[in-house]
Amino acid sequence: MQVIWLGVLALLVAALAACASAPNATSPGPNGTAPAAKPGPIALVIGDSQANAGNDVPTSASWVSHGLAQAGYVPRIEGYGGTGFLKGRPQDGHHSYPESLRKGVYALPENNVDLVVVQGGGNDVKYPDGRIEAAASDTVETLKLKYPDARLAVVSPLNQSGDPASRRVEVSKILANVAEQQDAAFIDATGWVAENRLARYLYEDGLHLKPEGHDILAPVFAEALHDAGITAVAPANER
């Protein structure tokens, strides 16, 4: 009987030793710590209040941020209300896009930036075409120098009124030209409010979306990114 128990004990010891030495995905590294998960690709956004949200909507739930997350990115939003390619709010420390880049206002990540998004232009409607084009080109060129390996996308302003003669549509055409010159993807968002019947989800200012509007627009943005070939992951219905 003693021989049998000694045999069983020897088998148990051998099994435990094999389990201890077998590698697995959560095994600690040589210093005793578990290996860190690889961070997701960052999508840096230079934008306005559509990206930053505000009102009752946190930045993480804006259609820009949430849409990028649905497209597989870790959104990094550097967006401030009332700013644009030329328009700034220096009294609040928020300058125009190119000036903020020059002054180091934005907290720009150094690594893992896979996509750079320049969103906005709605606050620049009172400026002449030539100045908007020059400032937009300056913004994109500066970001290309900062992130030479990242992909680039220019996103037009929303046209909340749905008026095809809106100045926002004209600004969008200027930005489309800049994107083409800079070899960047262009996403025309001017029709999204009307196409998705989002006017009912605008605040009284007629410009900013309520939470429901952001929730509806986020997957629209994610799909537009996919159509432009700049998603980090395939849409859920294609996996």
Side-chain angles (χ1 to χ4, degrees):
M1 195 68 182
Q2 184 177 9
V3 173
I4 294 174
W5 278 111
L6 287 174
V8 171
L9 181 61
L11 289 172
L12 286 173
V13 170
L16 289 172
C19 290
S21 60
N24 60 72
T26 58
S27 296
N31 59 356
T33 60
K38 183 180 179 181
I42 293 173
L44 169 67
V45 180
I46 304 298
D48 57 21
S49 58
Q50 294 298 326
N52 193 44
N55 294 309
D56 295 329
V57 185
T59 297
S60 61
S62 74
W63 64 266
V64 176
S65 179
H66 200 191
L68 287 165
Q70 290 181 16
Y73 293 103
V74 177
R76 179 68 173 269
I77 307 297
E78 291 295 325
Y80 300 101
T83 63
F85 296 102
L86 290 164
K87 181 72 167 57
R89 289 169 50 194
Q91 69 274 17
D92 299 328
H94 302 150
H95 305 275
S96 67
Y97 299 170
E99 190 172 358
S100 290
L101 286 168
R102 285 193 295 270
K103 292 179 178 291
V105 173
Y106 300 135
L108 301 178
E110 292 298 327
N111 303 305
N112 204 33
V113 176
D114 185 68
L115 175 66
V116 176
V117 176
V118 181
Q119 171 274 323
N123 294 310
D124 298 309
V125 293
K126 294 184 179 180
Y127 293 95
D129 293 6
R131 290 190 62 193
I132 296 173
E133 183 172 1
S137 294
D138 185 9
T139 302
V140 175
E141 286 174 359
T142 300
L143 290 165
K144 286 174 72 175
L145 287 173
K146 173 70 175 175
Y147 301 106
D149 298 323
R151 295 178 288 180
L152 283 143
V154 176
V155 181
S156 82
L158 299 176
N159 180 19
Q160 290 89 333
S161 70
D163 180 3
S166 169
R167 173 66 172 153
R168 287 169 174 257
V169 176
E170 296 176 351
V171 171
S172 178
K173 293 177 181 177
I174 296 169
L175 298 179
N177 185 50
V178 170
E180 183 178 5
Q181 293 174 355
Q182 297 291 339
D183 195 25
F186 177 69
I187 295 176
D188 185 359
T190 53
W192 289 357
V193 171
E195 291 165 5
N196 295 280
R197 295 181 290 181
L198 297 180
R200 55 186 167 160
Y201 297 123
L202 290 170
Y203 284 102
E204 292 182 0
D205 61 11
L207 295 173
H208 299 100
L209 290 164
K210 296 177 181 179
E212 300 91 337
H214 284 278
D215 289 344
I216 293 171
L217 210 55
V220 175
F221 182 37
E223 184 178 357
L225 291 167
H226 174 256
D227 291 344
I230 49 176
T231 50
V233 297
N237 59 0
E238 293 191 8
R239 292 182 208 170

